[in-house]
């Protein structure tokens, strides 16, 4: 699926040293050489190990092989080590405390696929502001504080890089990103055509008639499709007042759109508006009544089953690596308690 791009971008200091430490690893990277060109895996016993279907939590066959939660946990573990290491040289690096238990990482409405499984319940509570990504809710103010400390503290950047390199001698957290990217690539290869599934397309046409009848001029043919947009469209968001229109003139002199729009000391998650909630409820109602959500869920499930069957041996090894890295990350967190 295609996720809507972030609306605002801000400058950051020491991108390598800061952003790489507190931002989740994402995107599609080249898979490890060991994952390329391998023969089809054995499928014996794989199908019987699939989880039970649960559309309410968007449970999928690849969930247990996904490193989506692990990537966040690995970043947090490395940050805890950085805070300890930097403190030995007199530097303050106030990493916010995060929960590490599975329940917190997959708290409602999060799911391992980070799929926008919009229900009427979610729509009424969040509109379109729900965060489906596994892991704790990010706090933009923490990122700003760390950047300000880095920008105003001579020598911190160099020491931080040295601490990071030392940590990675005994903690190969990058493997989590390799697993995440590789399984993500396999999944994309099988699921990119899900919006074109005949049952999904038929349900999408019914959804489009439903949302139009509810009074909304929707330019896309499905809630989540292959046109590069998903609900809510930017056009609808601007018309209903919950998305800011793009600037008519971008700043010059190195500035970026959004630099002066939000006070970083008071920044927080975007809050839904009444108009947004009304649209989201109509959207969710139409997704349900048209059968689109169930059709999309079943089509994605079948696609992920094909991934599990095709890469069974590799996924078994990845699962073992996920379990080992998870245990190591949690031990690092326990050994490096917060200092602030």
């Amino acid at each position: 699926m295609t996720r809507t791009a972030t609306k605002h971008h801000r400058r950051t200091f020491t991108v390598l040293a800061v952003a790489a430490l507190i931002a989740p690893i994402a995107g599609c990277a080249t898979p490890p050489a060991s994952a390329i060109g391998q023969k089809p895996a054995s499928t014996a016993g794989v199908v019987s190990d699939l989880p039970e279907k649960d559309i309410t939590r968007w449970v999928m066959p690849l969930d247990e092989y996904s490193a989506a939660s692990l990537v966040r946990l690995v970043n947090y573990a490395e940050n805890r080590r950085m805070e300890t290491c930097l403190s030995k040289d007199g530097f303050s690096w106030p990493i916010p405390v995060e929960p590490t238990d599975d329940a917190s990482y997959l708290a409602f409405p999060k799911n391992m696929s980070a799929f926008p499984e919009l229900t009427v319940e979610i729509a009424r509570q969040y509109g379109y502001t729900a965060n489906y990504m596994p892991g704790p809710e990010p706090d933009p103010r923490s990122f700003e504080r760390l950047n300000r400390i880095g920008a105003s503290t001579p020598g911190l950047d160099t020491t931080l890089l040295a601490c990071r390199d030392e940590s990675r001698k005994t903690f190969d957290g990058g493997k989590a990103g390799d697993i995440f990217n590789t399984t993500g690539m396999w999944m994309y290869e099988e699921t990119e055509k899900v919006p074109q599934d005949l049952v999904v397309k038929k349900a999408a046409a019914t959804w489009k008639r439903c949302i139009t009848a509810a009074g909304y001029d929707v330019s896309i043919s499905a809630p989540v499709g292959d046109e590069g947009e998903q609900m809510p469209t930017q056009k609808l968001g601007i018309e209903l007042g919950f998305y800011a229109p793009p600037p008519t003139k971008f700043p010059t002199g190195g500035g970026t759109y959004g630099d002066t729009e939000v006070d970083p000391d008071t920044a927080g998650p975007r809050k839904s508006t009444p108009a947004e909630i009304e649209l989201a409820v109509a959207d969710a109602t139409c997704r349900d009544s048209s059968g689109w959500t169930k059709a999309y869920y079943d089509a994605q499930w079948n696609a992920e089953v094909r991934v599990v069957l095709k890469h069974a041996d590799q996924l078994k090894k990845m699962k073992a690596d996920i379990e080992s890295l998870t245990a190591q990350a949690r031990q690092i967190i326990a050994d490096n308690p917060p200092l602030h």
Side-chain angles (χ1 to χ4, degrees), residues 41-114:
S42 168
T43 62
V46 174
V47 174
S48 62
D49 293 334
L50 294 177
E52 289 188 24
K53 280 188 170 184
D54 186 349
I55 195 171
T56 62
R57 296 188 298 120
W58 208 259
V59 172
M60 282 287 154
L62 280 173
D63 284 359
E64 63 179 319
Y65 308 105
S66 171
S69 292
L70 177 60
V71 167
R72 293 294 300 270
L73 186 67
V74 161
N75 282 332
Y76 182 51
E78 190 166 78
N79 274 314
R80 291 259 66 89
R81 270 190 169 179
M82 296 308 98
E83 183 177 26
T84 300
C85 181
L86 284 167
S87 69
K88 294 176 181 178
D89 288 311
F91 293 111
S92 174
W93 196 241
I95 296 298
V97 178
E98 297 181 3
T100 61
D101 58 289
D102 293 336
S104 295
Y105 271 59
L106 289 175
F108 175 85
K110 301 173 186 294
N111 60 73
M112 290 298 287
S113 302

Side-chain angles (χ1 to χ4, degrees), residues 312-323:
D313 289 343
Q314 299 102 308
L315 288 170
K316 182 178 180 181
K317 172 64 167 59
M318 288 176 173
K319 184 178 179 182
D321 287 338
I322 288 172
E323 292 172 351

Side-chain angles (χ1 to χ4, degrees), residues 93 102 125 139 203 220 273 303:
W93 196 241
D102 293 336
Q125 184 171 345
D139 184 350
I220 56 179
T273 66

Side-chain angles (χ1 to χ4, degrees), residues 157-219:
D157 193 29
T158 301
T159 306
L160 189 149
L161 285 171
C163 288
R164 186 202 65 180
D165 291 343
E166 183 64 26
S167 174
R168 291 181 181 180
K169 290 179 181 179
T170 57
F171 184 43
D172 185 14
K175 186 181 292 185
D178 292 340
I179 295 171
F180 179 77
N181 288 323
T182 301
T183 56
M185 179 188 68
W186 290 340
M187 182 178 71
Y188 176 76
E189 289 172 347
E190 291 291 342
T191 62
E192 64 174 330
K193 294 182 180 178
V194 165
Q196 298 303 317
D197 177 272
L198 292 179
V199 178
V200 174
K201 288 188 71 175
K202 183 178 180 180
T206 304
W207 167 86
K208 181 68 175 282
R209 291 192 294 270
C210 177
I211 196 72
T212 301
Y216 296 100
D217 181 15
V218 178
S219 58

